[in-house]
Amino acid sequence: MLSVLQTLRHQLQGALERAWPEAAAAARATGQPLDPQLEPASRPEFGDFQANGALPLAKPLRQSPRAIASAVVERLAADPAFTALCLPPEIAGPGFINLTLRPEVLAAEVARRVGDPRLGVPLATAPPVAGAQAFAGGSDAPVPGDAAVAPIPLDPVIVDFSSPNIAKEMHVGHLRSTIIGDCLARVLEFRGHPVLRLNHVGDWGTQFGMLITHLKEVAPEALERADAIDLGDLVSFYRQAKQRFDTDPAFQAASREEVVRLQGGDPLSLKAWTLLCDQSRREFQRIYDRLDIVVQERGESFYNPLLPAVVDDLRAAGLLVEDAGADCVFLDPDKPPVIVRKSDGGFNYATTDLAAIRWRFAPPPKGDGARRLIYVTDAGQASHFAAVFAVAQRAGWVPPGGRLEHVPFGLVQGDDGKKLKTRSGDTVRLKDLLDEAVQRAEADLRARLAEEGRQEEEAFIQEVATAVGLGAVKYADLSTNRITNYQFRFDRMLALQGNTAPYLLYALVRLAGLARKGGEHFPASAREGSLPPLQFSEPREWALVRHLLSFDAVIVEVEEELLPNRLCGWLFELSQVFNRFYDQVPVLKAPPEARVSRLALCRLTADTLRLGLQLLGIQTLSRM
RNA sequence: GGGGCUGUAGCUCAGCCGGAUAGAGCGACGGUUUCCUAAACCGUAGGUCGUGGGUUCGAGUCCCGCCAGCCCCGCCA
């Protein structure tokens, strides 16, 4: 109900200004107009919204907060636009103004969303030009959809996520970036942003020297044939190469020469490099397909030709300093510099990251023309990104209004609170982890079926186990605040109760059951004109109504804060509120006059839950 | 040594721009099924928000100090 909130905010501000015209004018003159501080109510008994603004005004206005509040309420009562929306406001506590929307306003808001594919969430609009933001209403970002503005094409948002390394297997370390990045991209896309999902794979660098050298020795025939060979277990291949590199000086020397050949564009080296990349790509794609994740590969090698320009730019900007033979940018004379060219003349990862920023902000055709760059990597890289971002700023590559955001996340830990490992101490392969989640979900399901004496097709069992298992892994990751480390526990994430994927999926299954059994009464859409005015009476109906109407707020919040756990928490609450409703309020067996409204409410709940899970990247079910 | 993140119930975690009496889930204990999937619902117990100051009408939230844990810190990504 962002638009209602915005409307009320203007009305309150108007009331405030009518009550104290001089103070309001003075406040405006300072650029800080009187703020009613309207926000969603902190408790249900306070109504829908609360205005806290009277309290801080007590001192400047030399009146008691309650007197200020009652003056505002008086003006509001005289505003027909306000009384059409709200019941008479109440003044509570030290001077809070509590607002409750009229039941028919809430019901109409619900009706408007039934059958609406966007479920009340507006499309994003172009941000205002910097400096042109001052309008009545304070510091709030304008709510899109509030006014009928001609849509301005939005600049792309880049989400840089997943980013495994070629010739290595995806492991738990890639899990969070992949899942969180995909979720953020989905939310941004839903809001209407053109999103570039970029997989910044590690496909360039010194490790290829040893890999190619090893490949040339182990499988020279691969370089002769046109088609890529199957290297089998890439991980063990990598290990072999690494081991030889660490123990065999001759191999080491050969590897170093190989790096030079590769960077010099030697055809045979390039062929070997391509083979390794193709092989890895196929492995990665299996995981992405399984997780239903779309990401476009644009590895480090893409920026290779762009690296010299980075150094040139920095030099031209007067930022480069040579130190111990390396080209450096000193952000702070007392701290280690950002090295953009090593003493041996080679570039390193900072250079690549800088080249990426430069390219991504630059207008097409020599760049992506992006407005917002989002990097989803572990928190350990925070200082690296802070430094690189600062260099990009100083170099002038960030356009006005351009945003550079590192989206850090914590470690995946085991039960012991340490970095997750297998029993033998190896890193856990992502594939194994997903397999186990699905297997456990399947075992749970089979046990349940046996217990309940249910017979189900094998295909059904596989579908449910997959959706539950993979959904549980994703949800467990997304539902905690990403900045903290999180404990990976199968039993917890697959638990049938609590803040888990299965709990949410089950709520949707209940709703799907209602739709199946009451399908002929399930309203398709309010827009077809078949929906009578909705009426609600039960407290649990109203709780569901109110929660559903805050969907737009949580989506916009995730878009801005890039915190998927906010959406998870909201969906969990929705499931809880629905389950309480379902437990106590009959739907199909309701009297006819109540049934239509309840079915409409269920329809909206189901659509919202389905959309929410879809934005998390979680497959939904109609039976389980 | 410098920097970052974290510290909230037994456990795992929320807590939005500083707002009213601190919120879930799990676990524990107790209750609910003639009724749309009980994978559910209802209730009880459980807190010095690491710690000491400060800012203010009001601090888990902002500022400073301290303690503890984790992470990063010149040619790896």
Side-chain angles (χ1 to χ4, degrees):
Chain A
M1 280 190 296
L2 289 171
S3 62
V4 173
L5 178 66
Q6 192 72 349
T7 302
L8 286 172
R9 193 170 276 146
H10 286 307
Q11 292 175 351
L12 266 117
Q13 173 136 32
L16 210 47
E17 300 197 337
R18 285 196 298 281
W20 286 279
E22 305 84 10
R28 255 177 205 287
T30 68
Q32 300 243 327
L34 299 184
D35 184 1
Q37 295 192 12
L38 185 69
E39 49 188 69
S42 58
R43 294 163 165 275
E45 57 268 33
F46 299 154
D48 292 298
F49 301 103
Q50 64 183 61
N52 306 330
L55 282 80
L57 287 175
K59 199 176 271 182
L61 293 178
R62 298 182 169 215
Q63 299 212 31
S64 78
R66 289 188 71 100
I68 295 167
S70 70
V72 171
V73 166
E74 225 170 276
R75 302 299 189 294
L76 286 174
D79 180 351
F82 174 81
T83 54
L85 280 176
C86 286
L87 298 172
E90 286 179 8
I91 300 168
F96 299 105
I97 303 173
N98 290 339
L99 303 182
T100 303
L101 292 171
R102 293 184 171 280
E104 63 271 22
V105 172
L106 290 169
E109 288 288 326
V110 170
R112 193 167 306 144
R113 285 159 177 73
V114 176
D116 168 18
R118 299 201 55 81
L119 303 179
V121 182
L123 285 166
T125 54
V129 181
Q133 210 179 357
F135 68 92
S139 57
D140 299 286
V143 174
D146 206 21
V149 188
I152 303 164
L154 297 171
D155 293 329
V157 176
I158 288 176
V159 184
D160 181 317
F161 69 104
S162 197
S163 310
N165 288 317
I166 292 294
K168 287 194 194 170
E169 195 154 20
M170 289 182 79
H171 54 83
V172 273
H174 302 109
L175 181 68
R176 302 206 76 184
S177 176
T178 304
I179 291 174
I180 293 167
D182 176 59
C183 172
L184 295 177
R186 285 173 189 259
V187 171
L188 289 160
E189 283 158 0
F190 179 67
R191 282 280 284 148
H193 297 280
V195 175
L196 232 53
R197 300 158 161 260
L198 293 184
N199 200 358
H200 192 78
V201 301
D203 65 354
W204 203 248
T206 47
Q207 77 273 22
F208 280 95
M210 67 180 198
L211 288 167
I212 294 172
T213 307
H214 189 55
L215 178 66
K216 281 179 171 175
E217 291 183 18
V218 177
E221 72 280 4
L223 301 171
E224 309 298 326
R225 285 193 226 125
D227 57 332
I229 57 137
D230 184 8
L231 284 172
D233 190 353
L234 262 179
V235 181
S236 60
F237 180 85
Y238 186 93
R239 274 204 203 112
Q240 287 161 21
K242 181 85 168 76
Q243 206 208 336
R244 292 189 64 191
F245 187 84
D246 291 342
T247 55
D248 181 349
F251 183 85
Q252 218 175 85
S255 297
R256 294 227 168 83
E257 286 164 28
E258 187 56 62
V259 174
V260 177
R261 268 201 294 281
L262 177 64
Q263 299 199 333
D266 174 75
L268 197 62
S269 298
L270 277 174
K271 175 83 194 279
W273 174 74
T274 309
L275 280 174
L276 289 164
C277 292
D278 284 347
Q279 172 72 19
S280 288
R281 210 167 276 136
R282 279 199 298 274
E283 299 288 330
F284 298 156
Q285 198 54 46
R286 272 192 206 117
I287 299 271
Y288 294 134
D289 287 347
R290 198 170 174 194
L291 290 173
D292 188 24
I293 283 169
V294 173
V295 63
Q296 177 187 335
E297 183 180 319
R298 193 197 275 172
E300 290 167 355
S301 62
F302 175 89
Y303 303 99
N304 202 40
L306 307 170
L307 298 177
V310 168
V311 178
D312 293 346
D313 258 27
L314 293 174
R315 195 186 311 279
L319 294 169
L320 271 198
V321 174
E322 194 183 308
D323 195 87
D327 286 332
C328 305
V329 178
F330 282 89
L331 292 161
D332 179 332
D334 300 328
K335 289 182 186 170
V338 174
I339 294 176
V340 295
R341 178 152 31 199
K342 300 186 283 184
S343 50
D344 68 2
F347 302 105
N348 64 3
Y349 61 97
T351 328
T352 307
D353 283 339
L354 287 168
I357 293 172
R358 189 168 172 269
W359 177 267
R360 290 168 181 186
F361 276 132
K366 296 220 155 182
D368 297 316
R371 198 188 96 252
R372 189 179 186 188
L373 306 191
I374 294 168
Y375 291 82
V376 188
T377 80
D378 67 277
Q381 296 187 49
S383 48
H384 162 67
F385 278 111
V388 164
F389 290 173
V391 172
Q393 287 283 1
R394 291 198 195 178
W397 297 331
V398 185
R403 295 170 74 175
L404 268 170
E405 292 167 275
H406 180 219
V407 174
F409 54 82
L411 250 54
V412 181
Q413 301 173 316
D415 292 6
D416 55 0
K418 292 183 181 163
K419 199 171 168 183
L420 188 69
K421 300 262 180 181
T422 61
R423 271 196 204 89
S424 52
D426 297 331
T427 50
V428 180
R429 307 196 313 167
L430 195 44
K431 178 185 179 302
D432 294 341
L433 184 141
L434 299 178
D435 285 347
E436 185 169 352
V438 173
Q439 276 164 22
R440 283 175 180 246
E442 184 183 332
D444 279 358
L445 177 61
R446 288 191 191 278
R448 188 173 314 283
L449 292 178
E451 203 177 307
E452 295 172 7
R454 275 168 67 188
Q455 295 290 323
E456 296 288 356
E457 305 259 330
E458 195 54 33
F460 171 84
I461 294 173
Q462 291 311 318
E463 189 201 350
V464 173
T466 304
V468 170
L470 299 181
V473 170
K474 286 190 178 184
Y475 190 83
D477 199 326
L478 294 169
S479 60
T480 122
N481 188 320
R482 56 175 166 69
I483 195 71
T484 54
N485 295 342
Y486 106 96
Q487 261 187 31
F488 190 95
R489 287 185 52 175
F490 282 115
D491 53 353
R492 196 175 287 152
M493 68 180 69
L494 288 163
L496 310 167
Q497 60 277 95
N499 188 4
T500 64
Y503 180 86
L504 304 201
L505 290 172
Y506 177 65
L508 198 48
V509 162
R510 283 182 143 181
L511 283 156
L514 282 177
R516 262 198 310 277
K517 299 203 172 163
E520 68 276 19
H521 303 296
F522 230 59
S525 166
R527 296 185 174 178
E528 291 161 13
S530 59
L531 207 59
L534 301 180
Q535 292 197 327
F536 304 107
S537 53
E538 300 299 318
R540 291 185 182 196
E541 283 180 297
W542 286 118
L544 187 49
V545 165
R546 290 198 152 88
H547 198 259
L548 282 168
L549 292 178
S550 64
F551 185 57
D552 53 355
V554 77
I555 294 298
V556 170
E557 195 179 307
V558 173
E559 173 193 13
E560 197 50 36
E561 311 284 333
L562 307 176
L563 291 172
N565 66 303
R566 295 271 165 82
L567 178 55
C568 292
W570 189 89
L571 290 170
F572 175 55
E573 234 174 287
L574 176 62
S575 304
Q576 279 185 312
V577 172
F578 166 72
N579 274 328
R580 286 176 196 139
F581 160 86
Y582 182 90
D583 190 61
Q584 216 177 66
V585 184
V587 178
L588 298 178
K589 289 170 185 166
E593 62 277 14
R595 193 170 59 192
V596 181
S597 295
R598 289 180 189 168
L599 282 167
L601 193 54
C602 288
R603 165 78 201 272
L604 181 59
T605 306
D607 288 349
T608 307
L609 207 42
R610 203 174 291 115
L611 175 58
L613 284 164
Q614 188 188 312
L615 293 177
L616 297 178
I618 293 175
Q619 185 73 46
T620 59
L621 297 163
S622 56
R623 290 199 310 125
M624 65 190 278

